[in-house]
């Protein structure tokens, strides 16, 4: 089911043509877009459009789905520079494989290409699509800035964190669905409900990602377990643990920050377990997921048409816990 | 005359509203846009629109002019990171005053804001404006990539150089005029002529900039004289000098590359003078300028209406030589 949407997205990505020169600019774009990933965002866009009878093989919709995937990868390329991440999807990041400047510039080009893909969709709701895309793009950048601020801030609470991931991660998922809805002339109410469905699903998904970073298995997650702990990320897990911890445990966390990498991960995970943050985290994930389900239920389209979105949401949330 | 257009642009910039938070994202944008500059590009946009009877105080045009100025400043912020430039218009660059990550991210936001300004113009030719803007934005990035490639390439010739500055600098000047023309329903032919006028003016302007970097006076130029020489930039001056130099002079240049900064500038300038590159440079500047004049002449609008553009072109080229 999901595979048929994925096939459309992959085909659209394959159709992208890259000028030969300057190779330093276009090779990284081709590289990052070919690294794969689940293509969740463009698939959500197509599924949302299909709710309203769209022929989702038409350029009107595929090109908008493409725009979202290009934008998403633009943000990954730039974020990876800022996070100094060596790996993305198990392969070298663009700034690592080429260099910082090439990563900045090829990211910039991708952002322009995203707009160009929306233009080339030749969808009648072009203006509304651009307006929503602009709003979401800005929010994604704001989210990344808050994320960076959190690294040095001493006073981050759980609400701040939810707000940050809502901007940095969930926004684009909501946007993907809303653009699909706008493109196929959904009512305003439905477009907003689908946006909210995406936002809540995105929040559930991101907190699950944090969860897996601490408790997942390395091979399934596709990245180093404990990476967030090593990077002193103030994830939901850490913030909730600090909320639940007694003075002794707080002091233990403080001390563990200076441990060697392996010891640090082990020590922090032990405190995570002591305070029982696993259970709390699973509950908040489920809370957002249930909100998403409720949003989808209210979308004024027959139940069976929403089956694809419902399946995709379940697929996303059912990794390895 | 030019001041009345400048006033419109400055007023439009002042109307821009920045969210309070995250300050790290919006303060740099406010800062760079307030650093000033001649605002040549938005002024050219307004002047082009006015040729066809546009009321250039209307948002339809001012907001497009604004988009161009925002885009220009986006490219400066990102280029300055790549060039590791400490100063811009005599003030600290964004990455210097804040940091690299903030410069990347606030630049990204500016690029989105540029699109948003085109949207908010509510001009009837929105699609054509976005299409041209996309083409030009990509070219500007390509130009920056070529510029970076040239730093390490041994085989750059004058044609490569002209192509590079045509993309990196002249393209946006041509684009500014063309967007103004498109916005006010100029004929395709006129829009292309104005684009070509801008391209040629931009080439003349950039080569003059190179010229002033070597032969200008520090206070008037607003940046360090000899900066291009210190950075081993393959400017028109250097490439033409290498073309004109005898074996001895080529060897002298090679050797001078390892000198201390002050000695390096002095040694290279001496060879510039020996081969008479000043004269050649003034000739090519004039060549492009005359092409620009010829383009403007062919624009099918009464001569007196084109006076503003003609004056601005002359103003641009009449700095201190």
């Amino acid at each position: 089911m999901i595979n048929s949407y994925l096939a459309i997205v992959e085909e659209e990505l394959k159709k992208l043509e890259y000028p030969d020169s300057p190779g330093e600019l276009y090779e990284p774009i081709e590289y990052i877009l070919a690294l794969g990933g689940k293509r969740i965002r463009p698939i959500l866009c197509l599924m949302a459009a299909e709710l309203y009878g769209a022929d989702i093989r038409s350029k009107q919709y595929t090109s908008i789905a493409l725009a979202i995937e290009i934008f998403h990868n633009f943000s990954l390329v730039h974020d990876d520079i800022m996070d100094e991440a060596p790996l993305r999807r198990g392969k070298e990041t663009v700034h690592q494989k080429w260099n910082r400047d090439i990563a900045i510039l090829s990211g910039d080009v991708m952002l322009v290409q995203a707009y160009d893909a929306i233009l080339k969709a030749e969808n009648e709701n072009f203006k509304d699509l651009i307006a929503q895309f602009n709003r979401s793009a800005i929010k994604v950048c704001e989210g990344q800035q808050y994320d960076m601020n959190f690294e040095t801030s001493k006073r981050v609470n759980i609400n701040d964190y939810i707000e940050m991931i809502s901007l940095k991660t969930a926004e684009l998922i909501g946007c993907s669905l809303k653009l699909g809805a706008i493109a196929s002339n959904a009512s305003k109410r439905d477009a907003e409900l689908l946006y909210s469905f995406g936002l809540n699903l995105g929040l559930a998904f991101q907190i699950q990602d944090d969860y897996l970073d601490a408790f997942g298995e390395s091979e399934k997650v596709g990245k180093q377990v404990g990476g967030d702990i090593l990077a002193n990320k103030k994830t939901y897990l850490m913030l909730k643990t600090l909320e639940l911890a007694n003075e002794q445990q707080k002091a233990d966390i403080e001390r563990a920050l200076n441990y060697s990498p392996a010891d640090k991960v082990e020590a922090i995970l032990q405190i995570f377990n002591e305070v029982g943050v696993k259970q709390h985290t699973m509950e908040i994930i489920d809370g957002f997921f249930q909100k998403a389900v409720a949003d989808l239920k209210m979308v004024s389209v027959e139940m069976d048409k929403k089956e694809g979105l419902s399946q995709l949401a379940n697929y996303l949330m059912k990794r390895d816990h």
Side-chain angles (χ1 to χ4, degrees), chain A:
Chain A
M1 169 101 194
I2 290 164
N3 283 341
S4 66
Y5 295 91
L6 179 62
I8 296 175
V9 174
E10 293 294 347
E11 200 183 316
E12 196 66 11
L13 282 164
K14 250 182 243 142
K15 276 193 269 175
L16 271 175
E17 283 174 21
Y18 304 94
D20 288 336
S21 180
E24 297 79 3
L25 203 50
Y26 293 108
E27 280 161 24
I29 299 176
E30 215 171 341
Y31 170 79
I32 188 83
L33 287 174
L35 274 192
K38 294 185 294 301
R39 318 290 192 194
I40 293 304
R41 295 159 192 80
I43 291 175
L44 286 171
C45 175
L46 294 176
M47 284 183 165
E50 206 174 27
L51 293 180
Y52 307 94
D55 167 13
I56 57 162
R57 284 166 197 285
S58 138
K59 194 179 64 174
Q60 272 195 71
Y61 310 101
T62 55
S63 197
I64 290 162
L66 180 69
I68 292 164
E69 186 64 12
I70 295 173
F71 177 84
H72 176 54
N73 279 275
F74 141 78
S75 76
L76 298 181
V77 170
H78 278 193
D79 286 4
D80 283 342
I81 305 172
M82 302 180 212
D83 300 342
E84 294 177 356
L87 294 179
R88 164 69 60 190
R89 295 175 183 138
K91 297 276 175 72
E92 279 180 295
T93 47
V94 169
H95 67 95
Q96 183 81 12
K97 192 172 163 74
W98 284 272
N99 62 45
R100 177 198 67 184
D101 295 347
I102 284 175
I104 294 175
L105 208 50
S106 55
D108 292 345
V109 170
M110 291 174 87
L111 181 48
V112 176
Q113 285 177 329
Y115 281 98
D116 213 46
I118 302 179
L119 175 74
K120 291 193 170 126
E122 295 182 16
N123 186 288
E124 60 178 318
N125 301 310
F126 180 54
K127 277 199 168 185
D128 291 337
L129 292 166
I130 293 284
Q132 179 58 46
F133 186 79
N134 287 348
R135 276 195 299 274
S136 293
I138 297 261
K139 285 187 181 179
V140 170
C141 293
E142 289 180 350
Q144 170 67 5
Q145 184 63 53
Y146 284 122
D147 195 15
M148 294 194 297
N149 291 354
F150 286 2
E151 282 177 39
T152 51
S153 170
K154 287 276 173 208
R155 292 172 306 175
V156 180
N157 62 39
I158 290 180
N159 283 343
D160 297 331
Y161 177 75
I162 301 293
E163 169 70 6
M164 183 276 281
I165 62 171
S166 158
L167 293 165
K168 179 169 169 163
T169 304
E171 178 63 29
L172 190 60
I173 297 182
C175 173
S176 301
L177 287 144
K178 193 169 174 185
L179 291 186
I182 293 171
S184 60
N185 294 310
S187 69
K188 274 209 161 169
R189 185 185 133 89
D190 270 13
E192 285 306 329
L193 282 169
L194 285 163
Y195 173 75
S196 179
F197 163 69
L199 218 56
N200 284 312
L201 184 63
L203 289 169
F205 178 71
Q206 179 59 51
I207 300 174
Q208 180 181 259
D209 209 55
D210 297 352
Y211 178 96
L212 293 173
D213 190 87
F215 300 117
E217 293 161 52
S218 178
E219 314 81 63
K220 289 197 192 167
V221 185
K223 53 185 182 182
Q224 190 183 20
V225 165
D228 290 344
I229 293 174
L230 289 174
N232 300 332
K233 287 253 176 195
K234 297 180 182 76
T235 64
Y236 179 82
L237 299 173
M238 179 56 89
L239 295 169
K240 189 71 190 175
T241 296
L242 288 170
E243 207 180 277
L244 296 167
N246 59 33
E247 291 310 310
Q248 178 59 49
Q249 288 164 327
K250 280 183 194 166
D252 288 348
I253 291 174
E254 203 60 45
R255 205 169 333 105
L257 296 179
N258 303 313
Y259 288 179
S260 70
D263 291 347
K264 181 172 170 181
V265 172
E266 198 192 330
I268 302 274
L269 281 179
Q270 194 190 317
I271 304 164
F272 280 1
N273 285 324
E274 281 173 23
V275 302
V277 80
K278 236 180 180 178
Q279 186 57 34
H280 285 278
T281 307
M282 275 157 56
E283 275 166 20
I284 194 171
I285 292 171
D286 195 58
F288 283 120
F289 186 71
Q290 293 311 326
K291 275 193 191 183
V293 169
D295 286 327
L296 185 59
K297 207 167 270 175
M298 287 196 291
V299 170
S300 49
V301 157
E302 303 92 277
M303 245 355 230
D304 61 326
K305 286 196 181 164
K306 295 186 266 189
E307 197 46 47
L309 283 172
S310 177
Q311 272 185 30
L312 184 59
N314 278 295
Y315 158 74
L316 262 183
M317 300 313 298
K318 234 182 358 191
R319 297 215 292 201
D320 61 344
H321 74 283

